[in-house]
Amino acid sequence: MSASDRETLRLDFLKAAGLSDAVRAPLPGDASTRRYERLTPATGPSLMLMDQAPAAESPPCDPSWTPDQRRAAGWNAVARLSAGRIEAFAAVAAHLKSLGLSAPDIPALDAPNGLAVLEDFGDALFARVIADGADETALYLAAIEALAVLHEAGDPPATLHGPGGDWPLLTYDETALQGGADLFVDWLPKLDDRVTFDAAAIADWRAAWAPIVASGAAGASVMAHRDYHAENLIWLPERDGAARVGMIDFQDAVRAHPSWDLHSLLQDARRDVSPALEAEALDRYFALRPGVDRAGFMADYAGLAALNQARIIGVFARLIARDGKPRYRQFLPRMWRHLNANLDQPSLAPVARWFDRHVPPETRG
């Protein structure tokens, strides 16, 4: 579809939603194929236009597909990403709201064409308000409270129901976890020619991660936002309790190990979180979930955090080397620091030995 045809769809959608008079202000883009605009109507509060053309990405995963079928279908199927589908966002939002958490209302929706009007939570991203002087600890502990609500809700439904239709909540399984880790060996050599991985090294890589992948898949027991960090959380201080944490960008939610969103928040790719704050946040999490075996949980936390950091290094390498987005280079040193720290854990010794053999210290940063 041409850009002009897509704009015609947007105009028709806004007219049907009673927003043809709204002033439209595009928001900066991110690493996805979505685009957002802030809508300012003649009367009433501002809103957001979410625009995700359904054909812009490879298809999402059919729940019945085998690992081989997923690999043949493309990356979204391997990783169990939503391909940006509006109906996924709407169904996850409905589930979060049913738990008393803050996801945007959706006053208008055209799922087949990938368009939605959303409640505007404003610009008070956690990262932004902390930079402006807000109490970092209070915000992070509120984010922990919201996660505890989500996790204490227990086993999530296999199918989510939303205004755009049903959407499967798939498990972040072995194929998705190992596929994510493999981005590291696929893309780091394309960014840094000092590292190369032959077939034997890649086989050893997968063997080293196998116990962590198995634990992550076996422990998948809660809904994971999957991109839970300070630039996807919006402070809503006029609300109460966990609802003060406005959630966005959750369309790729899956059933996953409860540590996943925790380490995404506390070992962030984009901003530093002090070890003291990480420790305090984890203490609060376990206080809110007293039935959790902390020692076992933390072993999985370190392993899955390291796997996610290897995945993110691979993602950033791909964005830089393939997509010509050099700004992601600034995040690599922080991810290497997180990964190297987690590799010191005894449970990660096989992975640490692999890095010692194949990734020279001077390339880890």
Side-chain angles (χ1 to χ4, degrees):
M1 179 181 292
S2 70
S4 61
D5 288 343
R6 187 72 190 167
E7 174 63 8
T8 297
L9 272 179
R10 287 191 287 265
L11 290 171
D12 289 345
F13 173 66
L14 291 172
K15 182 178 180 181
L19 293 165
S20 56
D21 66 341
V23 176
R24 297 165 59 190
L27 272 63
D30 59 14
S32 75
T33 55
R34 285 185 309 281
R35 62 190 299 275
Y36 292 93
E37 297 178 8
R38 176 162 279 126
L39 306 173
T40 305
T43 60
S46 63
L47 298 161
M48 300 295 293
L49 173 65
M50 183 180 186
D51 178 2
Q52 169 75 65
E57 300 187 16
S58 63
C61 183
D62 186 294
S64 68
W65 284 349
T66 66
D68 285 343
Q69 288 174 310
R70 287 161 63 183
R71 285 186 279 268
W75 177 246
N76 284 326
V78 170
R80 290 188 155 166
L81 297 169
S82 69
R85 295 296 175 85
I86 295 286
E87 57 267 40
F89 182 93
V92 176
H95 182 68
L96 293 171
K97 289 169 71 68
S98 76
L99 300 177
L101 299 170
S102 288
D105 289 333
I106 306 175
L109 180 71
D110 179 357
N113 285 313
L115 294 165
V117 173
L118 311 179
E119 177 185 6
D120 184 4
F121 279 165
D123 295 322
L125 296 172
F126 274 36
R128 184 173 299 164
V129 298
I130 291 169
D132 289 342
D135 183 344
E136 180 183 41
T137 299
L139 268 67
Y140 270 79
L141 295 183
I144 292 296
E145 181 182 348
L147 274 187
V149 169
L150 183 59
H151 295 174
E152 283 295 292
D155 194 17
T159 302
L160 305 178
H161 309 290
D166 292 347
W167 188 260
L169 186 71
L170 302 178
T171 298
Y172 206 1
D173 64 356
E174 290 94 337
T175 299
L177 288 162
Q178 187 63 59
D182 286 351
L183 291 176
F184 180 91
V185 291
D186 290 343
W187 286 99
L188 187 64
K190 295 178 175 64
L191 180 67
D192 189 336
D193 59 11
R194 294 174 295 177
V195 293
T196 58
F197 308 123
D198 60 18
I202 292 172
D204 289 345
W205 166 263
R206 291 173 179 158
W209 284 111
I212 295 161
V213 166
S215 291
S221 57
V222 302
M223 175 189 277
H225 177 295
R226 200 171 178 175
D227 209 8
Y228 196 78
H229 58 76
E231 292 187 6
N232 274 342
L233 303 175
I234 298 175
W235 187 232
L236 304 173
E238 71 281 2
R239 302 189 183 190
D240 296 324
R244 295 174 297 168
V245 180
M247 299 184 191
I248 58 173
D249 206 20
F250 43 66
Q251 59 281 340
D252 292 323
V254 285
R255 179 190 176 102
H257 193 288
S259 71
W260 195 265
D261 284 342
L262 271 175
H263 62 66
S264 296
L265 176 70
L266 301 176
Q267 298 187 11
D268 196 335
R270 291 168 177 80
R271 70 181 307 273
D272 292 328
V273 178
S274 71
L277 178 54
E278 181 181 15
E280 184 172 356
L282 288 168
D283 284 344
R284 175 64 63 88
Y285 179 79
F286 290 113
L288 292 169
R289 302 197 68 208
V292 174
D293 169 18
R294 181 165 183 162
F297 187 102
M298 289 306 297
D300 288 340
Y301 176 93
L304 291 170
L307 184 148
N308 192 40
Q309 286 140 17
R311 179 190 71 85
I312 292 171
I313 290 169
V315 169
F316 288 166
R318 182 176 64 187
L319 287 165
I320 299 163
R322 185 191 72 183
D323 300 338
K325 296 182 176 182
R327 70 186 184 91
Y328 287 94
R329 193 179 290 274
Q330 67 183 300
F331 303 126
L332 286 172
R334 182 180 293 110
M335 295 314 299
W336 278 111
R337 288 196 298 272
H338 287 319
L339 176 56
N340 290 332
N342 284 311
L343 291 178
D344 285 338
Q345 298 297 317
S347 60
L348 282 162
V351 180
R353 287 193 295 270
W354 185 93
F355 273 87
D356 290 341
R357 287 195 303 270
H358 299 289
V359 187
E362 64 271 17
T363 67
R364 301 190 200 183

